Amino acid sequence: QVQLVESGGGLVQPGGSLRLSCVASGSIFRVYTMAWYRQAPGKERELVASFTSGGSTNYADSVLGRFTIFRDNAKNTVYLQMNSLKPEDTAVYFCNADIQRRDYYTPRNYWGQGTQVTVSS
């Protein structure tokens, strides 16, 4: 069984910072792309940032210069450092990853349970 578990969400004032963490665990052979998505009430889920196993990163235009995605591959963990937070960053943030299990040759896509980030004065 493979699971993604997020942590680090919470309430923060505009201009503040949070760091989200996502740990992949279970019978893992290899983790490929890891990413963060978010979904605000009444809006579609959107890609925030992604980090491939080869080291390439991609960011949504709305978070460029403010958010940073990074990984600790030894711990199968991906982080999202969020600085200069704005009220419009308020959303449920979901971890996503492509993972190859030890017992199957085809990578599968997994989602975490989500963690709430609220930016409010």
Side-chain angles (χ1 to χ4, degrees):
Q1 185 175 357
V2 172
Q3 291 181 315
L4 299 176
V5 180
E6 302 106 327
S7 62
L11 175 65
V12 65
Q13 294 184 345
S17 298
L18 285 174
R19 179 179 291 183
L20 306 183
S21 301
C22 172
V23 180
S25 63
S27 185
I28 296 171
F29 177 74
R30 186 173 182 179
V31 179
Y32 294 91
T33 298
M34 303 189 81
W36 289 96
Y37 289 75
R38 68 185 181 187
Q39 187 166 22
K43 297 185 178 181
E44 66 181 31
R45 187 171 299 186
E46 65 172 343
L47 177 66
V48 178
S50 63
F51 199 138
T52 71
S53 58
S56 298
T57 59
N58 183 64
Y59 296 92
D61 289 342
S62 59
V63 307
L64 275 174
R66 300 188 298 119
F67 291 11
T68 302
I69 186 171
F70 59 102
R71 298 169 64 156
D72 184 341
N73 291 330
K75 297 181 178 180
N76 288 326
T77 301
V78 64
Y79 305 89
L80 185 68
Q81 178 66 46
M82 304 184 293
N83 299 325
S84 301
L85 283 161
K86 304 175 181 180
E88 49 263 47
D89 295 319
T90 296
V92 177
Y93 284 71
F94 296 91
C95 182
N96 181 268
D98 293 322
I99 300 172
Q100 185 178 359
R101 294 177 173 176
R102 295 186 186 276
D103 61 344
Y104 198 64
Y105 56 84
T106 302
R108 301 181 183 182
N109 188 255
Y110 296 87
W111 288 96
Q113 80 286 353
T115 185
Q116 177 70 47
V117 172
T118 302
V119 185
S120 179
S121 299

